[in-house]
Amino acid sequence: MPENKDVALWVEDHTAYLWRLANRLVRDKTLADELVQETFLAALEARFEGKSSPRTWLASILRNKAMDHFRRMKAAPVSLDDYFPVGEHWSVDTVPHEWPHDTAADSERLHRLLALCLERLPQRLRLLVGLRYEGNKKGGQICKEMQLSTTNYWQLMHRARLQLRACIEHNLQD
Amino acid sequence: MMLQRIDISCARATLLIEKQLDNNVTLLQRLRLRLHYRRCPPCETYARQAGKLAQLLRQDPPADLPPEHLKQLQQDIKTLLGKKEKKEGQNL
């Protein structure tokens, strides 16, 4: 077990880093706060063997906490009918259009909308996207860590991407 | 007619596009997608945009923590840790 005074020092040195990581994973400031708190509480009880830096070690605790959180969340039904209502094809309302992408302002707008639309994803999908892209992992790894079947994983990522894309396009039109 | 029969649906195509982003499609599936794009340009647009989103998500800079929020959070954590230590002390 790490000495309590070490953990107190770590709070000084690593809280900002851990919070940024947490927020990248969950895109929810309150939940990010909670995850960082849980991480330090767990650190107090765990054994730090000094095989990696304290920061790396704390980050791995945090990732595990985020995954626990994912596993506890209820799955919302995955339905594709919103996007492909007739014969599994796009409808007039959902069919993708080209996005303007010529100017720096266009790409800045896209960045901003992505952040906004990520926040609007259901929490479980948002967390899945966060875990997928934060460490840039492949699907197979994530399935193992999150105890998801591969079919289920692809369904969820598919759904998340459809929703993100639609949200961005919807807001581009305003 | 023949093309119509072997063509995949857009729901299926966008799922394959998702797998393709992870390099998780077979050669046959890739061909199916290419064939589908010929009949369905919107799905090709979708594929481009999906790739763009993946690229943005990888480079997306994390939001910053305002200094006052950081201070408060550190204070909260220290209080939590202190409480826990005290409780454990009592149990001994």
Side-chain angles (χ1 to χ4, degrees), chain B residues 65-72:
Chain B
L65 181 63
E68 61 278 17
H69 185 144
L70 174 63
K71 260 204 192 119
Q72 183 61 51

Side-chain angles (χ1 to χ4, degrees), chain A residues 42 47 57 63 115-116 154 162 172:
Chain A
R47 181 187 295 275
W57 182 67
R63 278 197 192 84
L116 179 90
W154 289 116
L162 281 164
L172 273 173

Side-chain angles (χ1 to χ4, degrees), chain A residues 74-134:
Chain A
K74 285 219 178 74
V78 174
S79 157
L80 296 175
D81 292 349
D82 300 343
Y83 301 97
F84 311 106
V86 186
E88 299 203 317
H89 288 280
W90 302 106
S91 73
V92 183
D93 296 328
T94 62
V95 68
H97 297 96
E98 290 291 340
W99 294 342
H101 57 271
D102 295 335
T103 66
D106 289 335
S107 92
E108 207 226 321
R109 189 139 181 255
L110 192 56
H111 255 112
R112 205 162 33 80
L113 285 179
L114 175 62
L116 179 90
C117 290
L118 272 170
E119 277 178 34
R120 293 190 185 169
L121 276 185
Q123 207 181 44
R124 194 159 182 264
L125 291 186
R126 194 166 59 215
L127 184 49
L128 186 71
V129 172
L131 289 164
R132 161 72 178 83
Y133 284 104
E134 191 283 319

Side-chain angles (χ1 to χ4, degrees), chain A residues 15-114:
Chain A
T15 299
Y17 170 85
L18 291 171
W19 189 89
R20 277 197 299 272
L21 172 62
N23 190 43
R24 224 175 126 81
L25 290 173
V26 300
R27 306 272 172 172
D28 176 322
K29 295 185 167 65
T30 313
L31 184 56
D33 285 356
E34 283 171 24
L35 284 174
V36 174
Q37 289 173 356
E38 283 179 32
T39 299
F40 279 111
L41 280 176
L44 202 58
E45 290 185 333
R47 181 187 295 275
F48 176 61
E49 297 185 332
K51 282 182 189 156
S52 54
S53 71
R55 177 171 284 200
T56 309
W57 182 67
L58 290 166
S60 72
I61 297 179
L62 180 85
R63 278 197 192 84
N64 284 329
K65 292 280 166 204
M67 279 176 224
D68 286 347
H69 195 82
F70 176 87
R71 287 193 286 258
R72 279 198 306 268
M73 277 190 273
K74 285 219 178 74
V78 174
S79 157
L80 296 175
D81 292 349
D82 300 343
Y83 301 97
F84 311 106
V86 186
E88 299 203 317
H89 288 280
W90 302 106
S91 73
V92 183
D93 296 328
T94 62
V95 68
H97 297 96
E98 290 291 340
W99 294 342
H101 57 271
D102 295 335
T103 66
D106 289 335
S107 92
E108 207 226 321
R109 189 139 181 255
L110 192 56
H111 255 112
R112 205 162 33 80
L113 285 179
L114 175 62

Side-chain angles (χ1 to χ4, degrees), chain B residues 14-77:
Chain B
T14 50
L15 177 66
L16 286 181
I17 289 166
E18 193 56 46
K19 293 187 174 184
Q20 196 172 31
L21 287 172
D22 245 22
N23 293 324
N24 209 323
V25 284
T26 62
L27 185 64
L28 184 64
Q29 287 172 328
R30 272 219 303 277
L31 286 171
R32 281 241 161 87
L33 269 179
R34 295 241 306 263
L35 203 66
H36 179 75
Y37 293 159
R38 279 206 221 157
R39 292 168 43 84
C40 180
C43 274
E44 195 168 15
T45 302
Y46 179 93
R48 251 197 321 277
Q49 292 169 345
K52 178 76 184 165
L53 289 183
Q55 180 204 338
L56 287 178
L57 284 165
R58 267 191 289 271
Q59 30 167 264
D60 183 36
D64 240 345
L65 181 63
E68 61 278 17
H69 185 144
L70 174 63
K71 260 204 192 119
Q72 183 61 51
L73 181 59
Q74 285 173 326
Q75 199 49 56
D76 291 350
I77 294 169

